[in-house]
Amino acid sequence: MNTILEILETIKPGANFAASTDFIEEHLLESMEILQLVSELNDEFDINITLPYIKPENFKSVESIYHMVQEILEDE
């Protein structure tokens, strides 16, 4: 999860992702930042996050992003 947190902090420096429970509701991530995050996660974890995974509930918190990445890794 630390790697995900580091990626988030490079995308939006100064945002307190560690303390947030809903990045979307708290406007910590906007659509363009989610696209950038998807690209960074794909590169970092050598995965391909496809459209079915790109939904708000998968980008609400560090934990939800982590679980999405784990699910994709298990399916590949």
Side-chain angles (χ1 to χ4, degrees), residues 30-54:
E30 303 295 331
S31 58
M32 292 304 291
E33 293 160 333
I34 290 173
L35 291 175
Q36 184 179 356
L37 175 59
V38 166
S39 177
E40 296 283 338
L41 292 170
N42 284 338
D43 292 345
E44 179 66 33
F45 295 101
D46 195 27
I47 59 176
N48 186 22
I49 301 173
T50 57
L51 196 53
Y53 289 102
I54 302 175

Side-chain angles (χ1 to χ4, degrees), residues 6 8 10 16 23 27 37-38 45 49 52 60 62-63 67:
E6 289 171 12
L8 287 165
T10 63
N16 192 357
F23 300 159
H27 303 287
L37 175 59
V38 166
F45 295 101
I49 301 173
K60 289 177 71 166
V62 174
E63 291 82 12
H67 290 295

